[in-house]
Every structure is written in C-alpha cells, then in structure tokens.
Amino acid sequence: MPSNTNASSGHKSGKKKGRRARLVVIVLVLAIVGGIGFGAYWSISTVRASFPQTKGTIKLDGLSRNVEVKRDGNGIPQIYADSDADLFMAQGYVQAQDRFWEMDVRRHMTSGRLSEMFGKSQVKTDEFLRTLGWHRVAKKEYDTKLSPETKKYLQAYAKGVNAYLEGKDGKDISVEYAALGFTNDYKPQKWTPVDSVAWLKAMAWDLRGNMQDEIDRSLMTSRLGPSQIKDLYPEYPYKRNKPIVREGAYDSVTEKYDAEGAPTDTQTGTGGTGGAAGTGLAGGAQAPDGMQSQLSGLSDALDEVPAILGPNGNGIGSNSWVVSGSHTITGKPLLANDPHLAPQLPSVWYQMGLHCRSVSDTCQYDVSGYTFSGMPGVVIGHNNDIAWGMTNLGADVTDLYLEKFTGDGYQFDGKVLPFTTREETIKVAGGKDKKITVRGTNNGPLISDRDDELVKVGKKAGVDTAAPDRGDGYGVALRWTALTPGKSMDAVFDLNKAKNFTEFRKAASSFEVPSQNLIYADTKGNIGYQAPGKIPTRGKGDGSLPAPGWDADYRWDGYIPQDALPYEYNPERGYIVTANQAVIDDSDKAKYPYKLTSDWGYGARSQRIDDLIQSKIKNGGKISTEDMRLMQTDNSSEIAKLLVPKLLKIDIKDKYVREAQKLLEGWDYTQDADSAAAAYFNSVWRSILKLAIGNKLPKELRVKGQCLNVEPAGNTRPADEGKRVRECGERDADSAQPDGGDRYYEVIRKIIDDETNSWWRSPATRTDKETKNRDQLFERALHDARWDLTAKLGKDIDTWSWGRLHRLTLKNQTLGTEGPGWLQFVLNRGPWNLGGGEAAVNATGWNAAGGYGVVWVPSMRMVVNLKDLDKSKWINLTGASGHAYNAHYDDQTDKWAKGELLPWAHSRQAVEKSTSDKLVLRP
C-alpha cells in the first residue's frame, strides 16, 4: 500500500516537488527527443529497464518442469508446458513482463482504488466503483462459485505474476511507475486470483446493455412527448434487417429451444417488440421537470467510469460471422470476428498461445487467440478442434429502481426494510483518506448516494397514484446481473477445451456475464451459434425506464432457462451473422416467450455483412480468407445510400455550397480515408441530425458547453410555445445524443418520405431562416456542412478527405490522458487518418453530436481457417507490449489501420518456424 503524504507538509515542500518534477520533465524530454548526453543515458536506461527478457533462461521457483516461451517477429508469445499449473504460471509471468502496468491499473479500477495511484482526481470514480462492489462480488465468485480446477489455474497465474514482481522496484516494471514516482511513492502489491476474476466485471460494465437508454428516455420526457420519444426509439426492422437466428423455434411443451424442428405447441408470452421502448415511467406516467436534473446527475456519475473503459451506447458492438464449407474455397468453415471497443494503448486484447506439449489429463490445453492481460486462459480464438467468436448480445440485464426512503430504511410491499450498509475507506495518494457509507436495498446498491443531486432522484418523478408519498424524493438502486456471483471464469476454461458443439454449448451455459453472442465452427465442418447469459425475467414493467422499487410486482422473478435461449446448428443457408442485431424475430410474441431486450442494435452492419456474403455465394461462388478480410474492412455507408439521392435534388444557389454538393455526384458511398465525398456527406448527416433532432433534446443529452436558444419540441408545454430560453449542453461529447448510430438511421428512414413531418421543422437563427419541411432542412444542412468543413479543412475542396476529420489517437491508460503534456507525448501515439465510420462494417465509430474523431474501433480482427489453422489470420490494435518505446508497443497499428492481417501460427511446426526469440523458464 502506498503511504500517504502528510497534508501538513506545507506549501514549500509542494514547490520543491514541483521544481523537481519540472527538472525531470526537461531531462526526460531532452533525452528522448534529443537523445544526447547523460540525460539520454539516464532516460533510455530508465525506459529500457522494464523491457522483458525474451531470450535465454530465467529461473522460476514453483515450476515443475521447463517451460518454453517462443515469440514471433511481433513479440506475440506462444507458451509450451507439460502441466496445466506450469502453463498458467508461465502465462501470468509473461503477461506481467509485457503488461503489468495495465494489469495494475485494471485491478485498481475494479476494486475502486485508483486514488491510491493517481490521487484525489479519482476519488469520485472510486466512490462509484466501491458502491457497485465489483471486487467484492468477484471474491464471492472465487470463494463460492468457481470450480476447484479454475481456482488452481487462477492461483497458478497469480503465482507467475508475483514471481515476475519479486525483487523489482516500480521503475524495473514499467516507465509509468518511474513517472508516478515523482509525485507518489506508490509500490505495486502482489497479484491475487480475485484480481483476475474482477476484470470480467469491468468488461460486463462496458457491455451492460440498455442502462444509458433507460436514463436517456427518462431525461427526454421533460421536453418530448410519448409519441416523440417513440419516434426516436423505433421498432426493429425485422423485414429488412434479418435477426441472427432464423431456424428452429421454442417448444412450450419441453420449454427448450429446438434449433432444428418446429415446436409441438406455441403460446403467447411476454416477448418484446425488439426496438420500440415504452415511454411511461414506473407504470405509465411521464417524468416531468424535477426528474430531469436528478437523472442527469446519474448520467454524470456513470460517465466517470466510461472515462476509463470508453463510451457505452447503441453504436458500440462487434461483428462476427461464420461461413460453412459448402460456401468456402477450402471446403471447411471460415470464422471472422472483430469486437468494437474504446481504443486503448496498449490494446485491451493480448494475443497468445497456450500449448501443452502433449495433451493429457494433467495438461489439457492447446489453444491460441486473444485474452485479457491479468486473466488466465484465452477468451476468443481456437483450439485444435473448434473456433469461436463473440459479439455483444445486448441483453437487458440492468434495471434502475426508484426507492422510497423512510427513516433508516426503505419501503417494500407496505413494510419498511433496513438498508444493507458497509463502510469503505478510500486511500488517496497525497491526501487524506475518505470514508463513505455504501447503502443497498433488496434491488441492489443505492447509486444515488454517490451524487448530491441523486439523493433527490424522483422528487418530482411521475409515478402512479399507488406510489408512496415522495417526501424528500426517491433514491435510485441498480439491479444488474454482474452483481450476483457467477461462473463466467469457469466458462473461459471450458471453451478452451471444448471439442464439439455439445461441449461448446455446455461451456456457454456458464458464460453468464457479460451476455455475448457466441459463434462456432469446427474442423469437421459444423457451424453454430448460441445465445448465453444470465438474462432476467420480470413481473411488471419492461425495463425501459426506472421501476418502482416499493412494488414487489416489479421485481425480477427469475432468469431465462439456458435451454430456452436461442441457438442454431448448421443452418440451411450455410452461414450465421452476428453484429448486435436482434437475436430472434420476436415481432410475433407467440414465437418466443421471453424478452431479451427492447434495445437491439438496428442491424445496419449485420445486414450489410449478410448482403456481402449473399453477393459472393450467389450462383455457386466461394468465399476465401481474403474475402472475409475484405468484408471486415467494408466502408459502405448505409445512411448515405438513403439520403444522397435526395440531397442531390436540392437546388443550391450558393456556388461554394453547390461545389461541395457536386462531390456527392457519382459517389459510391464508401468512406475511404481519402474520400472528400465521405467527409462532406458525414458533415451533412451530422447537420441533419442536429437540426432535426439534437436541438430539440434536453440539455442533459446535448454536448457539454454547446448553448442554444431553444423552445420545447411539439406541444408538450403549450404555455411556453413561442418562447425561448438559453440552455447549454451537459453531456460528455463521446456519449451525447444524437450519436448518429443506426438507431438514427431508422428514425430518419421512418420519416424520410413525410416531407412536412414536425421533426423537419427547425427555428430561425440570426443567419438562417426557419425550416418547415424536409428539403428546407436538407438545404440548410448542406450549407452548414460546407462552412463547417471550410473551417476545419480549408476552402479548397480538393484538399478535403474523410481521414483528416476522422482521426484516431491512441492514448496510454491514465497517464496518457491525465498526465502532464510531456508524459502524454512519451506514452501516446498517432494520429492515424481512418476510413470507415458509424454503423459501417469497418466500425470506426464517431459521435455525430460530439465531432468526427474516432471513439471506438474494431479492437482486433481475426479470420480462422478451419481447414488449416496455420493459415488463419489476426491483428491487434496496438502490439504485444505495454512498454513505451518497445519495438512491439504499437507495431501492429499501421497494418491494422490499412485493414491488413498477420499470419497466425498455431501448430508446433508453424510456431517454431515463426519464432524470433526463445525464452526458457526453468524450475
């Protein structure tokens, strides 16, 4: 544990420390940029001190026999051992060599202890994370849920990490510790098995489903009516964008999902509409003014965590698809996957192979793929028999509950129940400890306690007449499946060993959180899909808005049985696509009796992939590994196909705007980095969204600092009609609305032919006339985009390109974003000019409300060849190393940006051939 600096040490000591830090800045910058003199020697030796030893021999106490670590030219390790314990101990050692700083930051985040490393700036984040209690839940999982075998693997992994840490100072582990040492005497602690388990909670949070939609819909009610909110959350377009599962059905007699046959009987259940969300709060009423600011406080609190993990929203997802051998050149399946996550440096993924020299009962693994630093096993990849990929299912696994406080308790079913409470102490580097009390109800932790405004959440909330007196207001509790101990870590190892679809499905049944779409292929030629996860069933309510916690009828009443979750096996069409679209067509509720969510992705990416596969296989065409790669890098804009023909019909008088409009003539809708047309169109799309929707949203959803003179949309407040007030946005740019994702594609598609729809109306400004119909708004958007790009890219449209707007900068965790400028220079990389875009298959996401910069990316890409696993391909966003200035810090990024893939050796012979460095770990 770091010792805290005494607050009474005084101003002089602070000045001395500041002078020392500035001196070090000068030395380090001179050293790295100039590369001369003693400073150069000092800084280079400091940076290189933490580089891993990758050749020769290292003694590692605790091993039973020698372990080989073979690294290829990109520094990707393949480990060879004779026992499971040795294999996972070596994995811990090697990952700590490459990525311990990243691992250490992650475990401090999941345990709500970032303030111990980074001081008071992280206290609010720690308070929120302590309230959620990820690390506490992970400990319960480890103590009570995980199998003895899994515990042994976690212990072996921790043993390997700690063997690496033994005897090392911070500067010997990573240059970030050397930098941290100028302001903090923090020293890394030993790794524990629970530290590994807790990271799955962080990933579950990043992929938690519709909580932000639940908040946003509630916030919208202050300025939009129910029909307007419904417009912004349209039903899923089942007829146009196909769901994942299209064969088989739920059998109400056996209460199982049958992938092959039709049910013997059907019954009407509680299936959702798959996109349209209810607009009532806790039983039908709207949330008036008072709840607006309170729920925005909750949104602010949630934003503290995505600052580390990245934005969460409808646009974030992943692509995966599998094609059977009947449609491939090889005659065996091909499987592709590219999960979409916030860009990080180093990448959230770590490439690795885990190989038993001889697979047996005592050494059971021969697997390679992508894992997380800090976790044993492989999360996505293949073994000798099967391959698997993942995308976010998006199941609704979170609910917010309004809680009525009475004295020291809360009301539930006519009684007053006591809060559960615990005290938490947050240690703060350079400051005083802070104590907080975490309270909870039978629905979960009271997240409203973490924000002064949130104590009053629901003070004016619209609830039905049966609700208890609001008094000083309602609290807000969070119910989330990840806060219940589960067995997801067991599932990781079971997937790694699975040999067929039956074993794959059994492993999937333990993959409770986060809920993922799992696709499958095997070397025998079979393909499949399974929807796993711990997905709640509800009494009343649909989970789209906060529910009344005092009413037992709104409690979760169970979980969807695993046997009832949809799956497919060798579908007749010969391929399966999962890209966050609807899992199953539940527009007819009789077909499937359970609700998975009301907030699917809207299928723009999935249907594009489906169309690309169909275009290739029609008339007997065959798909190659290269075809799969090209599909992953498809830049086509689906919204451009809808809008451009109409934009070109607008009669533009201004010659400069007309010059830009002409860029769209003959454009093929691909968003290549060098495309001027893509730059202009995306600016026009952004302007359309702002004029039609964004300016009508409440300030809590609009970008922070962007101010407007606005009036309420529609007729929700007749008394205020015609009046305007000055309102400034309050939302972080990466999570503001409208974000421009495929939900908004569907919103615009619904009204595109209704030329006088009220959404097309936009008030006059000092420079623009009021728009009363679609074409007037389109004309204004064309003008706005011309001048927006003139300001950003220059007057000469010949110099415009999408990549100059759409840039990716990779930032090192914490110190690369919060550290001083010199340190950011040392740790960060970029920018890269990228193609692709929002809801494209090449999903380099950007938030239309906030700007053009890249906010999420395909965090890795892979294509597995089940005919010859050594002909599989992969790429990571950055590189194997987490050490700045190591050769493998970002050596894959240039190729990643170009859409290239690297060879992926798996067999002993192929790995040996590709080996550049060999390290022997011996007992």
Side-chain angles (χ1 to χ4, degrees):
M1 298 288 287
S3 57
N4 295 321
T5 303
N6 192 308
S8 65
S9 58
H11 189 56
K12 288 184 179 179
S13 124
K15 279 189 173 180
K16 286 180 181 178
K17 186 171 286 187
R19 284 196 297 269
R20 188 177 95 171
R22 284 193 293 273
L23 179 61
V24 170
V25 170
I26 294 169
V27 171
L28 193 56
V29 169
L30 284 174
I32 292 174
V33 178
I36 57 174
F38 174 77
Y41 173 81
W42 179 87
S43 65
I44 291 171
S45 64
T46 300
V47 170
R48 289 179 175 171
S50 59
F51 286 7
Q53 179 181 338
T54 60
K55 296 180 180 179
T57 302
I58 296 176
K59 183 180 179 182
L60 209 59
D61 291 338
L63 290 177
S64 62
R65 297 186 65 178
N66 284 359
V67 175
E68 295 173 305
V69 182
K70 300 180 179 182
R71 294 178 183 261
D72 66 10
N74 292 100
I76 300 169
Q78 305 276 348
I79 300 176
Y80 290 85
D82 292 314
S83 71
D84 293 336
D86 283 356
L87 189 65
F88 293 117
M89 183 179 177
Q91 183 181 15
Y93 186 89
V94 170
Q95 286 194 339
Q97 277 188 307
D98 285 335
R99 301 276 194 99
F100 186 75
W101 167 261
E102 175 190 22
M103 293 163 59
D104 202 14
V105 170
R106 285 179 174 181
R107 67 164 165 179
H108 278 77
M109 181 184 67
T110 58
S111 57
R113 294 169 49 216
L114 288 167
S115 301
E116 294 178 16
M117 297 182 78
F118 307 111
K120 63 182 181 180
S121 67
Q122 298 302 312
V123 169
K124 284 199 73 173
T125 302
D126 282 347
E127 289 179 2
F128 189 76
L129 291 167
R130 292 285 184 100
T131 299
L132 292 179
W134 291 349
H135 204 268
R136 293 171 60 86
V137 178
K139 188 175 188 311
K140 289 180 182 177
E141 286 185 0
Y142 181 80
D143 290 342
T144 66
K145 291 289 185 179
L146 299 181
S147 71
E149 189 177 57
T150 295
K151 289 183 180 181
K152 288 179 182 177
Y153 298 159
L154 290 163
Q155 291 163 4
Y157 181 89
K159 191 175 181 181
V161 175
N162 293 327
Y164 171 74
L165 296 177
E166 185 69 30
K168 289 184 173 65
D169 292 328
K171 63 182 175 56
D172 301 320
I173 299 171
S174 178
V175 70
E176 288 94 335
Y177 290 112
L180 199 64
F182 297 129
T183 56
N184 183 3
D185 57 359
Y186 171 83
K187 299 192 186 314
Q189 296 175 306
K190 287 188 175 182
W191 193 262
T192 74
V194 177
D195 293 334
S196 295
V197 178
W199 183 243
L200 282 176
K201 303 300 175 188
M203 293 310 300
W205 179 260
D206 211 23
L207 304 168
R208 64 192 178 272
N210 76 334
M211 192 192 325
Q212 193 65 57
D213 287 324
E214 190 173 338
I215 294 168
D216 288 354
R217 280 190 287 263
S218 300
L219 292 169
M220 286 177 185
T221 60
S222 70
R223 296 196 60 225
L224 301 178
S227 64
Q228 292 170 311
I229 296 174
K230 187 176 181 180
D231 286 346
L232 298 183
Y233 289 89
E235 292 189 2
Y236 184 89
Y238 289 103
K239 292 184 179 178
R240 188 176 65 256
N241 295 342
K242 298 178 180 64
I244 297 171
V245 175
R246 306 176 209 172
E247 296 181 15
Y250 177 78
D251 189 325
S252 63
V253 174
T254 63
E255 296 184 332
K256 294 182 179 181
Y257 194 90
D258 183 354
E260 297 178 357
T264 56
D265 189 17
T266 58
Q267 64 182 27
T268 300
T270 56
T273 57
T279 56
L281 176 69
Q286 296 176 50
D289 271 358
M291 194 168 186
Q292 190 88 347
S293 60
Q294 283 81 29
L295 280 173
S296 73
L298 173 56
S299 186
D300 290 343
L302 297 180
D303 273 345
E304 295 294 329
V305 182
I308 297 168
L309 288 175
N312 176 281
N314 181 269
I316 297 183
S318 304
N319 301 322
S320 68
W321 65 95
V322 59
V323 181
S324 73
S326 60
H327 297 312
T328 67
I329 288 176
T330 66
K332 288 291 177 70
L334 295 171
L335 184 150
N337 195 189
D338 56 284
H340 306 157
L341 296 168
Q344 295 184 20
L345 179 63
S347 167
V348 69
W349 297 107
Y350 185 94
Q351 295 154 289
M352 185 170 243
L354 301 172
H355 308 280
C356 291
R357 294 190 181 97
S358 178
V359 175
S360 65
D361 290 341
T362 57
C363 198
Q364 306 172 70
Y365 297 88
D366 194 357
V367 60
S368 59
Y370 297 85
T371 187
F372 301 128
S373 300
M375 245 182 67
V378 167
V379 177
I380 293 174
H382 70 80
N383 57 31
N384 290 327
D385 300 294
I386 76 165
W388 68 95
M390 298 183 188
T391 63
N392 193 16
L393 193 150
D396 187 356
V397 296
T398 59
D399 277 340
L400 298 175
Y401 283 90
L402 301 176
E403 303 286 4
K404 170 57 183 173
F405 298 162
T406 302
D408 292 328
Y410 61 97
Q411 291 188 17
F412 179 73
D413 255 11
K415 300 176 182 178
V416 177
L417 303 181
F419 296 115
T420 60
T421 61
R422 68 177 187 271
E423 296 291 325
E424 296 273 358
T425 299
I426 297 171
K427 296 186 179 298
V428 183
K432 293 182 179 179
D433 294 355
K434 181 169 183 180
K435 294 183 182 292
I436 64 170
T437 299
V438 177
R439 300 189 297 174
T441 72
N442 56 10
N443 288 311
L446 280 166
I447 55 177
S448 55
D449 283 355
R450 299 284 70 86
D451 188 281
D452 291 340
E453 281 188 325
L454 293 176
V455 176
K456 306 175 222 174
V457 164
K459 189 170 184 179
K460 296 182 180 179
V463 292
D464 61 32
T465 55
D469 180 80
R470 65 184 80 250
D472 291 333
Y474 305 125
V476 176
L478 170 66
R479 183 145 196 199
W480 178 31
T481 53
L483 300 184
T484 301
K487 300 186 295 181
S488 293
M489 189 60 76
D490 283 348
V492 171
F493 297 110
D494 289 342
L495 281 173
N496 287 192
K497 292 185 295 185
K499 296 183 180 301
N500 53 51
F501 193 60
T502 299
E503 293 180 7
F504 170 80
R505 291 190 68 210
K506 184 178 179 182
S509 68
S510 296
F511 206 97
E512 298 170 344
V513 176
S515 184
Q516 298 287 286
N517 295 306
L518 293 175
I519 58 165
Y520 167 94
D522 63 38
T523 55
K524 294 181 178 178
N526 302 298
I527 65 172
Y529 163 84
Q530 176 68 56
K534 195 171 188 178
I535 304 171
T537 57
R538 296 167 176 84
K540 286 185 178 179
D542 64 1
S544 63
L545 287 166
W550 51 82
D551 188 340
D553 289 342
Y554 285 85
R555 296 268 293 166
W556 292 1
D557 55 15
Y559 299 94
I560 300 175
Q562 290 294 316
D563 283 345
L565 289 169
Y567 73 100
E568 272 193 330
Y569 188 58
N570 291 330
E572 187 176 346
R573 64 186 179 279
Y575 63 90
I576 302 169
V577 176
T578 88
N580 316 112
Q581 79 271 40
V583 171
I584 193 167
D585 186 347
D586 59 3
S587 55
D588 179 354
K589 295 180 182 179
K591 290 182 179 179
Y592 190 68
Y594 297 103
K595 178 187 172 184
L596 298 173
T597 187
S598 294
D599 292 300
W600 303 113
Y602 281 75
R605 281 181 289 110
S606 62
Q607 193 55 45
R608 175 63 178 170
I609 296 167
D610 198 288
D611 291 343
L612 289 170
I613 293 172
Q614 284 286 349
S615 68
K616 191 69 182 178
I617 66 177
K618 67 181 179 182
N619 302 321
K622 301 291 185 180
I623 292 175
S624 66
T625 301
E626 176 65 4
D627 292 327
M628 300 285 273
R629 183 193 71 81
L630 290 172
M631 291 178 194
Q632 286 181 322
T633 57
D634 181 80
N635 287 332
S636 177
S637 170
E638 297 305 297
I639 190 62
K641 295 174 185 177
L642 177 69
L643 291 180
V644 166
K646 291 178 170 53
L647 293 171
L648 288 174
K649 292 179 181 179
I650 305 298
D651 185 14
I652 299 295
K653 307 298 185 186
D654 187 307
K655 66 177 184 178
Y656 291 107
V657 179
R658 173 61 186 143
E659 181 185 36
Q661 184 190 32
K662 289 175 69 175
L663 289 171
L664 304 179
E665 295 176 0
W667 180 43
D668 63 359
Y669 312 122
T670 59
Q671 301 170 97
D672 294 333
D674 61 358
S675 171
Y680 183 57
F681 171 77
N682 281 317
S683 185
V684 173
W685 170 235
R686 186 180 181 220
S687 296
I688 288 172
L689 288 171
K690 180 180 179 182
L691 294 170
I693 299 170
N695 290 351
K696 298 165 188 173
L697 296 177
K699 62 182 182 296
E700 291 83 1
L701 272 68
R702 299 201 317 270
V703 176
K704 190 180 298 180
Q706 290 186 4
C707 302
L708 297 169
N709 293 321
V710 299
E711 58 183 333
N715 295 314
T716 55
R717 294 186 184 180
D720 290 340
E721 194 163 341
K723 295 181 180 179
R724 294 192 183 184
V725 293
R726 185 73 168 168
E727 286 186 353
C728 298
E730 299 177 353
R731 181 68 64 83
D732 183 85
D734 288 351
S735 56
Q737 296 296 327
D739 61 21
D742 62 358
R743 171 159 66 89
Y744 291 99
Y745 292 13
E746 196 62 22
V747 170
I748 297 301
R749 190 185 297 276
K750 292 280 188 183
I751 64 172
I752 192 69
D753 294 324
D754 182 2
E755 297 184 25
T756 58
N757 190 285
S758 61
W759 287 107
W760 300 126
R761 298 173 191 164
S762 184
T765 67
R766 286 178 298 175
T767 56
D768 296 292
K769 295 180 180 179
E770 176 186 12
T771 69
K772 297 181 179 180
N773 59 47
R774 183 197 70 191
D775 287 355
Q776 288 178 353
L777 186 139
F778 281 6
E779 181 178 359
R780 187 161 152 187
L782 287 161
H783 279 79
D784 289 352
R786 174 36 157 145
W787 304 120
D788 181 40
L789 294 200
T790 297
K792 289 180 170 64
L793 302 179
K795 187 176 180 180
D796 184 358
I797 65 171
D798 290 337
T799 67
W800 290 2
S801 70
W802 175 225
R804 285 180 61 200
L805 286 175
H806 192 53
R807 287 184 159 184
L808 169 67
T809 298
L810 292 173
K811 295 187 176 182
N812 188 280
Q813 290 186 66
T814 60
L815 293 182
T817 56
E818 300 295 332
W822 67 270
L823 192 56
Q824 294 187 35
F825 172 81
V826 170
L827 298 177
N828 298 342
R829 298 292 182 270
W832 283 267
N833 296 349
L834 298 185
E838 185 70 25
V841 179
N842 185 18
T844 54
W846 57 288
N847 186 302
Y852 303 100
V854 176
V855 295
W856 57 79
V857 294
S859 55
M860 61 81 159
R861 298 186 183 101
M862 74 176 195
V863 179
V864 182
N865 183 331
L866 276 300
K867 173 70 173 180
D868 185 345
L869 293 168
D870 288 329
K871 291 183 179 178
S872 301
K873 304 282 187 178
W874 62 355
I875 195 82
N876 208 348
L877 174 64
T878 58
S881 179
H883 299 284
Y885 294 96
N886 183 280
H888 306 304
Y889 188 53
D890 63 342
D891 58 333
Q892 298 184 49
T893 308
D894 284 344
K895 287 182 168 59
W896 173 92
K898 296 173 185 175
E900 297 176 12
L901 298 174
L902 297 172
W904 180 356
H906 174 72
S907 71
R908 188 77 183 267
Q909 296 83 355
V911 169
E912 188 65 40
K913 187 176 180 181
S914 67
T915 295
S916 295
D917 293 353
K918 180 180 175 181
L919 175 69
V920 176
L921 304 175
R922 62 179 180 82

